[in-house]
Amino acid sequence: MITLYDYALSGNCFKVRQLLAWLGLEWRSVPVDFHPGRAHKSSAFLARVNPLGQLPVIDDDGFVLRDAQAILVYLASRYESEPRWYPDDARLRGEIAMWFATADELTRTASAARLHDVFGYSHLDIEACRRGAHAALRLLDDHLAERAGGGDAWLAGPHATLADLACFPYAALAGEGGIALDEYPALRDWIWRFRHLPGFIGMSGIFAPDPA
């Protein structure tokens, strides 16, 4: 069974939980006291789980893997019956990898702004975080608007892929870091579409739609 070292309020952990749900896999959660306990920086965690002191991490019957995007690629590559989330097409995989870089930039900026505002990480340069987040969100919004003009609703390919899953949570949670999405209409529409995908589970701050 897959073990996920998890934190309920982490957007990066959410990505993994969501894909596990969509793939219908059995898994167990090992909660890690990220805040306020900072258990991800403990000597035991660094020695036994992830020397970088980051979440998420999975253990799939002894195969230990860190980094949210790497975990998404592994899970989709190993467990998808049909290659939907990680299509078996070189160009699409290249595009997905390109958007992984944007997802990492959102973690560095929008997620950091959220850590500042919600978790009290006062050492962060909040204005630099917000400027960087707006640059990444503008990139997403421009791309999504251009795609919409051609009749496409997602970042890469004709349906949602790992590119969308990777970028989604910290775009959707941007408001918790003081980053308004008012000027990004295509991005807001994309967030709404993603939340309404069948089987969407949500997390604190990104609620699943009421089935009624």
Side-chain angles (χ1 to χ4, degrees):
M1 180 182 293
I2 296 168
T3 297
L4 170 63
Y5 292 87
D6 193 14
Y7 179 58
L9 299 182
S10 164
N12 279 328
C13 291
F14 162 78
K15 301 174 191 181
V16 178
R17 294 194 302 268
Q18 181 63 77
L19 186 59
L20 288 166
W22 273 330
L23 296 178
L25 298 175
E26 293 187 9
W27 61 284
R28 71 183 187 99
S29 174
V30 175
V32 177
D33 185 6
F34 180 92
H35 180 81
R38 292 182 61 79
H40 60 301
K41 300 296 186 182
S42 69
S43 56
F45 188 90
L46 294 173
R48 300 173 187 171
V49 183
N50 184 354
L52 298 180
Q54 298 170 347
L55 295 171
V57 178
I58 64 165
D59 183 335
D60 188 6
D61 290 330
F63 176 63
V64 178
L65 190 63
R66 62 177 183 259
D67 182 83
Q69 275 66 261
I71 293 169
L72 297 182
V73 168
Y74 167 75
L75 291 174
S77 298
R78 179 166 184 184
Y79 291 108
E80 276 197 294
S81 56
E82 295 182 3
R84 171 188 171 82
W85 292 101
Y86 194 50
D88 189 14
D89 176 273
R91 290 188 177 187
L92 277 178
R93 288 189 172 187
E95 289 185 54
I96 290 168
M98 179 180 69
W99 289 110
F100 284 169
T102 303
D104 287 338
E105 182 66 6
L106 289 171
T107 299
R108 190 185 70 81
T109 58
S111 173
R114 179 172 174 256
L115 289 175
H116 178 278
D117 286 15
V118 177
F119 299 95
Y121 280 48
S122 57
H123 66 283
L124 297 169
D125 184 340
I126 184 60
E127 294 308 319
C129 291
R130 288 175 181 154
R131 284 195 303 272
H134 277 294
L137 294 170
R138 170 56 63 197
L139 177 68
L140 283 167
D141 187 73
D142 286 348
H143 179 73
L144 288 163
E146 184 174 352
R147 295 269 294 168
D152 293 307
W154 305 102
L155 289 175
H159 52 70
T161 67
L162 294 185
D164 301 279
L165 177 55
C167 291
F168 171 80
Y170 288 126
L173 291 166
E176 294 190 356
I179 302 160
L181 300 182
D182 297 352
E183 60 188 275
Y184 308 120
L187 181 67
R188 294 198 310 272
D189 288 347
W190 170 77
I191 290 171
W192 187 94
R193 284 194 300 276
F194 195 93
R195 288 180 56 247
H196 286 79
L197 286 171
F200 181 82
I201 60 173
M203 61 173 283
S204 178
I206 316 175
F207 300 110
D210 187 339

